[in-house]
């Protein structure tokens, strides 16, 4: 593990900055930023020691310097879609365009996920999931990085355990390429209509559908570190990576906050440890 790893932990998000090279100067110039979202994690469980490795980092072990804001809260509604939109954009639900995992739109839409108007228009109220990039009204950091950057400065990646997060953050530029330099999420079927960024390594969770398990998600994170990602016509190391771990949320939906939920927290904690130990 690098002794110069820096960490910020929130109840729902883990932000790590690791040096891209050995010198202090290179760290200042080229930080590697990883935002790990342990979906559905109750911060009280961290305080109770159910995530022992994260707790050790918070205590300053492993050479870590950390900040833990215990009073942080999810935005309301406390669901996956609006909170990931808020973290990626800095916008509350009234401005992000995604106020919940489902919401009503005062028009007919092209399908149950989209916020785009149906061909030919139409009135009435439509309930949608908002699981489409056209629902986002606030600029995400994927888009902001593309707009503001010198291409050599920032390489972005989104690695999501849930298929719907891939759809939400699959916004495209005028040339039809993704704003995120690299994006992956599980496919939901074996159909040819699956998006090009999805992966077929999936697990079925009865409560919420298909997802990558947390180990598979971390495998992909580590692969991008070892092999880089295609960006700007060459292979580059991502230095702004947004990651979703889904298993804690899956366990909570399936069984409530019991032993299976705590076991899932332990598995996510193990994956964070594996990540840190690769640095």
């Amino acid at each position: 593990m690098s002794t110069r790893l820096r960490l910020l932990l929130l109840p729902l998000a883990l932000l790590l900055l690791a040096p891209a090279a050995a010198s202090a100067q290179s760290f200042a110039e080229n930080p590697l930023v990883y935002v790990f979202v342990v979906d559905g994690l109750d911060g009280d469980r961290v305080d109770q020691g159910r995530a022992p490795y994260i707790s050790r980092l918070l205590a300053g072990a492993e050479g870590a310097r950390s900040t833990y804001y215990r009073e942080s809260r999810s935005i309301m509604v406390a669901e996956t879609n609006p909170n990931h939109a808020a973290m990626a954009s800095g916008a509350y639900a009234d401005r992000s365009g995604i106020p919940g995992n489902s919401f009503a739109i005062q028009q007919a839409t092209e399908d149950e996920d989209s916020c785009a108007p149906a061909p030919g228009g139409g009135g009435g109220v439509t309930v949608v999931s908002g699981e489409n990039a056209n629902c986002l009204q606030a600029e995400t950091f994927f888009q902001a990085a593309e707009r503001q950057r010198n291409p050599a400065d920032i390489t972005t990646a989104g690695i999501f355990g849930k298929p719907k997060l891939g759809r939400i953050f699959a916004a495209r530029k005028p040339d039809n390429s993704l704003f995120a330099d690299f994006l992956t999420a599980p496919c939901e079927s074996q159909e040819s209509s699956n998006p090009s960024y999805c992966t077929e390594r999936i697990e079925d969770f009865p409560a919420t559908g298909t997802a990558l398990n947390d180990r598979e998600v971390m495998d992909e994170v580590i692969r991008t570190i070892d092999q880089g990602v295609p960006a700007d016509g060459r292979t580059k190391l991502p230095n702004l990576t947004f990651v979703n771990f889904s298993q804690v949320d899956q366990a909570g939906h399936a069984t409530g906050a019991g032993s299976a939920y705590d076991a899932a927290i332990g598995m996510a904690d193990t994956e964070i440890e594996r990540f840190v130990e690769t640095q």
Side-chain angles (χ1 to χ4, degrees):
M1 171 192 163
S2 167
T3 59
R4 288 164 50 225
L5 189 71
R6 298 183 180 179
L7 173 144
L8 169 65
L9 176 70
L10 305 176
L12 290 177
L14 184 67
L15 174 65
L16 296 98
L17 286 79
S23 71
Q25 181 179 5
S26 67
F27 177 78
E29 293 174 353
N30 299 298
L32 305 182
V33 180
Y34 293 86
V35 181
F36 289 103
V37 182
V38 183
D39 202 342
L41 174 62
D42 181 351
D44 289 343
R45 289 299 215 273
V46 176
D47 295 339
Q48 294 164 6
R50 303 303 174 95
Y53 184 75
I54 291 173
S55 294
R56 291 204 305 275
L57 293 179
L58 293 175
E62 314 287 340
R65 288 182 289 174
S66 62
T67 298
Y68 180 25
Y69 182 52
R70 285 182 171 83
E71 299 307 313
S72 63
R73 296 289 185 271
S74 303
I75 67 163
M76 297 302 291
V77 177
E79 294 177 331
T80 294
N81 299 359
N83 277 276
H84 281 74
M87 285 184 277
S89 68
Y92 285 104
D94 61 335
R95 293 196 303 110
S96 73
I98 302 181
N101 281 1
S102 64
F103 51 93
I105 292 181
Q106 194 73 33
Q107 65 180 14
T109 62
E110 59 185 3
D111 60 52
E112 63 185 9
D113 295 325
S114 174
C115 296
V125 175
T126 305
V127 176
V128 299
S129 72
E131 295 168 11
N132 190 305
N134 64 28
C135 293
L136 276 170
Q137 297 175 7
E139 184 180 62
T140 68
F141 47 57
F142 296 120
Q143 294 158 301
E146 179 69 25
R147 174 175 56 80
Q148 298 175 13
R149 72 175 178 169
N150 177 328
D153 291 340
I154 302 177
T155 300
T156 58
I159 301 173
F160 302 121
K162 292 184 175 180
K164 63 182 183 178
L165 294 173
R167 295 196 296 273
I168 288 171
F169 293 109
R172 294 183 179 272
K173 296 179 279 189
D175 65 2
N176 205 40
S177 63
L178 294 166
F179 277 101
D181 291 303
F182 177 77
L183 180 67
T184 190
C187 303
E188 293 188 272
S189 69
Q190 302 300 317
E191 298 176 1
S192 59
S193 59
N194 279 320
S196 59
Y197 61 76
C198 77
T199 176
E200 294 182 2
R201 298 193 310 274
I202 59 174
E203 185 169 341
D204 185 54
F205 293 89
T208 56
T210 57
L212 295 177
N213 65 46
D214 291 351
R215 183 168 185 83
E216 289 175 318
V217 171
M218 188 58 79
D219 285 345
E220 189 64 14
V221 173
I222 293 173
R223 187 197 67 76
T224 67
I225 296 170
D226 292 340
Q227 301 177 20
V229 300
D232 304 315
R234 54 197 178 98
T235 300
K236 300 171 67 176
L237 178 65
N239 54 9
L240 176 55
T241 303
F242 191 27
V243 183
N244 166 265
F245 289 138
S246 70
Q247 278 190 264
V248 172
D249 189 54
Q250 309 283 2
H253 280 288
T255 66
S259 59
Y261 180 77
D262 286 335
I265 292 173
M267 287 186 282
D269 187 62
T270 296
E271 293 308 315
I272 295 297
E273 181 175 12
R274 181 160 72 105
F275 170 79
V276 173
E277 293 300 330
T278 66
Q279 303 308 304

